[in-house]
């Protein structure tokens, strides 16, 4: 396993729970707002960027319809401005500005298995792969694989199997994808809807970022054979799911913005010029401090290479949860 020693043992060992305290403000550790964030949102108003699935995870050489590598600088400014505005909005409903939010968050999960037919080749994966995926999420977000512990754990509430050839494969950005999600999505902003199936353009998965108003497109799409025990070579330990849920909780790619600017808006992930593929140990693409974070769940490395979130990422996710998804 190289950079991921004893990973399978750690994943089988169970999940630790954690309680984090976080000030409900934009001064939280690990959150680095874009320089023009507040000026981009006069009076706290901000137009949320359209969902173009620029947060997709791809295999090397995949030909996605949308550029998958990063958001535009304008999109980052809009998103960070909206996060600041949402936090201010939330603060008005609490006792005193900047109230402390204590969080151990259990996220209900509904999994939609999209099938062409009843065969494994047609998308009919066994329940065991899905339960293994939930276990991987719990261990990754608890820090059990070697990274920082976050506030989140995941509870599988339902597996919904749908045979519909018109939704298979799931095509990124299509009217069929919108129809599928509009028909199937359940729960509030705090409910994680995961859609599994064969995907278009050799993509591994994509996700929506959190928004103040619930959108029927909200959720995560994952290649079914990338689940633990699936057939997607080098991408079948469940970390596409881990990666995409990170986006759903408001994390950017580690290579967002390249070597300049605010990068991924997290202070403790070293800058990275471009996605890391495979497992390029010692890679260093920026002159700033630190090697490229190729072991971070928000890069593009092989599943066997990635094993961690940073404390700053854990803080950013909790801040976004309090702003957007908390009841």
């Amino acid at each position: 396993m190289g950079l991921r020693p004893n990973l399978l043992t750690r994943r089988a060992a169970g999940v630790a729970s954690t309680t984090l305290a976080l000030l409900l403000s934009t001064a939280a550790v690990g959150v680095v707002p874009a320089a023009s964030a507040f000026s981009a949102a006069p009076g706290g108003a901000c137009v949320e960027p359209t969902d173009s699935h620029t947060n997709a995870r791809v295999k090397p050489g995949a030909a996605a319809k949308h550029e998958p590598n990063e958001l535009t600088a304008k999109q980052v400014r809009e998103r960070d401005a909206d996060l600041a505005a949402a936090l201010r909005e939330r603060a008005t409903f609490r006792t005193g500005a900047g109230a402390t939010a204590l969080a151990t968050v259990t996220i209900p999960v509904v999994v939609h298995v999209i099938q062409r037919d009843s065969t494994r080749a047609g998308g009919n994966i066994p329940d065991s792969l899905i339960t293994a995926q939930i276990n991987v999420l719990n261990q990754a977000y608890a820090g059990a694989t070697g990274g920082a512990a976050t506030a989140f754990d995941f509870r599988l509430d339902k597996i919904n199997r749908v045979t519909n050839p018109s939704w298979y494969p799931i095509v990124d950005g299509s009217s069929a994808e919108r129809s599928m999600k509009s028909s199937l999505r359940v729960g509030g902003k705090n409910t994680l809807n995961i859609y599994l199936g064969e995907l278009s353009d050799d993509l591994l998965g994509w996700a929506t970022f959190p928004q103040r108003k619930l959108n029927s497109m909200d959720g995560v799409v994952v290649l079914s054979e990338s689940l633990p025990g699936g057939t997607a070579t080098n991408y079948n330990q469940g970390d596409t799911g881990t990666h995409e849920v990170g986006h759903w909780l408001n994390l950017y790619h580690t290579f967002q913005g390249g070597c300049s600017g605010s990068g991924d808006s997290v202070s403790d992930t070293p800058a990275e010029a471009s996605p890391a593929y495979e497992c390029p140990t010692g890679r260093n693409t920026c002159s700033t401090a630190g090697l490229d974070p190729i072991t971070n769940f928000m890069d593009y490395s092989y599943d066997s290479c990635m094993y961690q979130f940073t404390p700053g990422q854990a803080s950013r996710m909790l801040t976004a949860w309090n702003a957007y998804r908390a009841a």
Side-chain angles (χ1 to χ4, degrees):
M1 290 295 179
L3 293 173
R4 214 172 189 182
N6 301 320
L7 175 59
L8 295 178
T9 300
R10 290 177 182 173
R11 282 188 168 165
V15 179
S17 61
T18 181
T19 301
L20 300 180
L22 185 68
L23 289 178
L24 189 62
S25 72
T26 55
V29 174
V31 180
V32 184
S36 59
F38 289 95
S39 61
C46 181
V47 177
E48 292 176 344
T50 56
D51 172 23
S52 61
H53 293 159
T54 49
N55 49 335
R57 188 185 184 205
V58 302
K59 298 177 183 177
K65 283 192 297 183
H66 302 291
E67 172 57 47
N69 290 348
E70 58 184 315
L71 301 176
T72 65
K74 181 175 182 289
Q75 285 175 313
V76 170
R77 288 195 299 271
E78 288 174 341
R79 286 214 54 80
D80 284 349
D82 191 72
L83 175 59
L87 286 166
R88 291 194 298 270
E89 184 179 283
R90 280 279 181 168
T92 64
F93 294 100
R94 295 180 180 271
T95 304
T100 299
L102 299 177
T104 299
V105 181
T106 297
I107 299 176
V109 181
V110 177
V111 176
H112 307 279
V113 182
I114 309 304
Q115 305 171 183
R116 182 185 60 212
D117 52 45
S118 62
T119 66
R120 174 72 178 262
N124 185 22
I125 60 170
D127 287 357
S128 59
L129 268 67
I130 297 169
T131 55
Q133 177 67 71
I134 300 300
N135 186 50
V136 165
L137 289 177
N138 277 319
Q139 295 197 49
Y141 281 82
T145 58
T150 79
F152 304 100
D153 62 70
F154 302 84
R155 182 189 72 231
L156 178 62
D157 279 4
K158 183 179 180 181
I159 298 174
N160 176 36
R161 294 183 177 274
V162 179
T163 301
N164 189 336
S166 67
W167 292 343
Y168 193 94
I170 305 172
V171 179
D172 172 33
S174 67
S175 59
E177 181 197 8
R178 182 167 294 277
S179 173
M180 175 191 74
K181 289 182 173 180
S182 297
S183 300
L184 300 180
R185 195 195 183 284
V186 296
K189 290 189 290 186
N190 67 324
T191 301
L192 172 60
N193 282 247
I194 300 178
Y195 303 87
L196 303 177
E198 181 67 23
L199 307 187
S200 66
D201 304 305
D202 207 25
L203 291 171
L204 290 163
W206 60 84
T208 56
F209 290 108
Q211 298 182 359
R212 279 186 274 179
K213 183 177 180 180
L214 180 62
N215 188 306
S216 63
M217 295 295 284
D218 181 79
V220 166
V221 178
V222 174
L223 176 68
S224 56
E225 294 294 349
S226 74
L227 272 58
T231 61
T233 304
N234 297 315
Y235 302 100
N236 58 356
Q237 294 184 28
D239 285 330
T240 291
T242 304
H243 177 105
E244 298 305 341
V245 171
H247 287 310
W248 188 79
L249 292 170
N250 209 43
L251 293 185
Y252 300 146
H253 290 133
T254 52
F255 47 87
Q256 172 64 43
C259 297
S260 60
S262 61
D264 65 351
S265 297
V266 177
S267 60
D268 60 0
T269 56
E272 184 178 26
S274 60
Y277 293 104
E278 300 181 5
C279 194
T281 304
R283 184 177 189 252
N284 189 12
T285 57
C286 294
S287 60
T288 50
L291 297 177
D292 290 359
I294 66 167
T295 61
N296 195 283
F297 288 122
M298 301 312 295
D299 209 335
Y300 275 3
S301 313
Y302 284 163
D303 282 14
S304 60
C305 189
M306 54 174 56
Y307 64 88
Q308 64 177 322
F309 292 115
T310 67
Q313 288 174 316
S315 176
R316 180 176 174 85
M317 287 188 280
L318 185 54
T319 297
W321 182 271
N322 288 326
Y324 293 113
R325 297 196 183 278

